[in-house]
Amino acid sequence: MTQHPHILIIGAGLIGIANARAFISRGAQVTLVEQKSAIGCGAGFANSGMIHPSQAWPWVQSGLCDKAQLAAAQSIAKLARHAAKQTKARMAALSLVGQAREPGCFQIFDNEAARAAALARYNLIHIKTEISQQFSRPALYFPDDFSGDAYQWCRAEINALIADGLTLHLGEKLSLIPDLVGFSVRLNGNIIKADHVIICAGHSVNTLLSPLNLSLPVIPIRGFALDFDAQGLDLSSLPKAPIMDAASRTALTRFDTTLRLSGTLGERSAAPLWQRWCRLIPDIMRRLPSPHQVWSGERPICALGRPVISQSPLKGLWVNGGHGHMGWTLALPSAALMARMILDGDAAHKFSWPK
């Protein structure tokens, strides 16, 4: 490998930007390519803003045996334990100091039995929990989780990366071209050669892999978000830490001037998201104005129950994807792992390309 290898990363969302930081920090030459006209426009654009190692269990049943699913959740939890420290350090370096936030995150349940079952599952993957209550419902508190603004982080990080030498291409059509020594990328007719190409393109990974006769079990699962102007509203009854609702796979997050409802699994519109929180916090929902932003996007969920952080069967082509609801949580740890794999020759069998 050359002393300063050229790494070309496809996808300028949370995962792609984190990978760019990991490689530039190690002295690599990095080119970041995004086919959309702006960064961070995918699944991370209006996410819940949580770094939550607690949520390592997959949302979608993988079809694997219970033992395999547990192993996958344990692997994700272990990787995610590095997330809080790494992300907090990077946010501090970028001077991202927003509203004062309570540490941790909450999760509410419909009844005591549901909380007890969840607690048993969290204990299996060694997640620190505390018994709590929110909205007169059983709850768990995760002290090792925390929150921030993922899109704000993307914007601040991309500016810092450009200052550190990143080459950024936005709004350009691309295709992958294998050659004898690795891969090239065609951008609007121009050829860019790289020592390694990393696909961090979310649910679009198979669109890029298909011409190479490759595919991954990454499922696009639609999610929704509603943003409300919270300026001037009395939100003293809400904690500043995010609150997840276990039954609906949704969350409520307070940002500087915005209240965001986000998530859902298997829904076709944002209506169930709105309706669920009207039942959970009716007094607050009645006082909210109409949402000033309604967002919908596809989250890349891997049917294996864990992301793929691996070299493909083709030399020089790598994938870092399928993080699902753990995107921002796993962004920096999975990027650091990918850098060690490419630059140091480390192995990560638990996240390897499926056979």
Side-chain angles (χ1 to χ4, degrees), residues 169-312:
H169 294 270
L170 295 176
E172 299 194 33
K173 297 295 183 182
L174 65 90
S175 58
L176 296 170
I177 309 169
D179 55 41
L180 294 177
V181 294
F183 270 82
S184 302
V185 172
R186 180 182 285 114
L187 289 178
N188 290 346
N190 298 315
I191 303 298
I192 299 179
K193 295 190 68 66
D195 296 297
H196 299 274
V197 174
I198 309 172
I199 300 177
C200 303
H203 73 279
S204 299
V205 59
N206 284 321
T207 302
L208 294 166
L209 291 175
S210 179
L212 305 174
N213 295 316
L214 297 174
S215 65
L216 283 172
V218 173
I219 306 165
I221 301 292
R222 184 160 294 279
F224 298 89
L226 301 173
D227 282 357
F228 303 88
D229 184 359
Q231 296 187 83
L233 294 179
D234 180 10
L235 301 179
S236 58
S237 61
L238 295 178
K240 290 184 177 178
I243 303 170
M244 298 173 279
D245 174 43
S248 63
R249 300 292 191 188
T250 63
L252 178 152
T253 311
R254 293 175 62 178
F255 295 94
D256 290 344
T257 60
T258 299
L259 190 70
R260 175 173 295 161
L261 304 179
S262 60
T264 72
L265 180 66
E267 304 292 356
R268 296 184 178 182
S269 76
L273 174 63
W274 166 272
Q275 293 162 0
R276 176 62 176 174
W277 285 90
C278 282
R279 290 193 294 271
L280 292 172
I281 50 172
D283 290 344
I284 290 175
M285 294 299 290
R286 278 195 294 267
R287 292 187 278 116
L288 289 177
S290 298
H292 63 261
Q293 176 175 268
V294 179
W295 176 89
S296 178
E298 304 280 9
R299 296 159 297 182
I301 295 182
C302 194
L304 302 171
R306 55 168 175 77
V308 175
I309 309 168
S310 174
Q311 183 168 228
S312 79

Side-chain angles (χ1 to χ4, degrees), residues 113-127:
R115 179 172 66 181
L119 183 58
R121 286 165 59 86
Y122 289 130
N123 288 338
L124 286 173
I125 57 174
H126 311 294
I127 298 299

Side-chain angles (χ1 to χ4, degrees), residues 26-196:
R26 295 285 304 274
Q29 176 190 352
V30 178
T31 298
L32 180 60
V33 179
E34 171 57 59
Q35 296 190 81
K36 296 178 182 177
S37 59
I39 65 160
C41 291
F45 175 72
N47 81 356
S48 61
M50 289 184 282
I51 304 294
H52 49 27
S54 65
Q55 301 306 299
W57 281 98
W59 274 13
V60 176
Q61 292 298 314
S62 64
L64 303 173
C65 68
D66 290 345
K67 185 177 180 181
Q69 291 186 60
L70 173 59
Q74 288 173 332
S75 298
I76 294 170
K78 183 177 180 180
L79 183 63
R81 287 191 185 99
H82 303 284
K85 183 177 180 180
Q86 291 178 10
T87 309
K88 284 180 180 178
R90 194 62 208 145
M91 290 176 73
L94 295 169
S95 301
L96 292 178
V97 181
Q99 70 175 43
R101 294 180 179 274
E102 295 178 6
C105 295
F106 293 92
Q107 187 174 42
I108 59 173
F109 301 88
D110 283 342
N111 51 60
E112 295 284 356
R115 179 172 66 181
L119 183 58
R121 286 165 59 86
Y122 289 130
N123 288 338
L124 286 173
I125 57 174
H126 311 294
I127 298 299
K128 187 184 296 184
T129 58
E130 298 174 10
I131 300 297
S132 182
Q133 188 176 47
Q134 291 291 332
F135 312 143
S136 302
R137 292 171 179 263
L140 292 173
Y141 174 69
F142 306 107
D144 292 339
D145 293 358
F146 83 104
S147 61
D149 188 323
Y151 184 59
Q152 184 186 57
W153 176 82
C154 283
R155 290 182 299 171
E157 187 65 275
I158 207 72
N159 290 334
L161 285 164
I162 291 171
D164 289 342
L166 173 75
T167 300
L168 177 64
H169 294 270
L170 295 176
E172 299 194 33
K173 297 295 183 182
L174 65 90
S175 58
L176 296 170
I177 309 169
D179 55 41
L180 294 177
V181 294
F183 270 82
S184 302
V185 172
R186 180 182 285 114
L187 289 178
N188 290 346
N190 298 315
I191 303 298
I192 299 179
K193 295 190 68 66
D195 296 297
H196 299 274

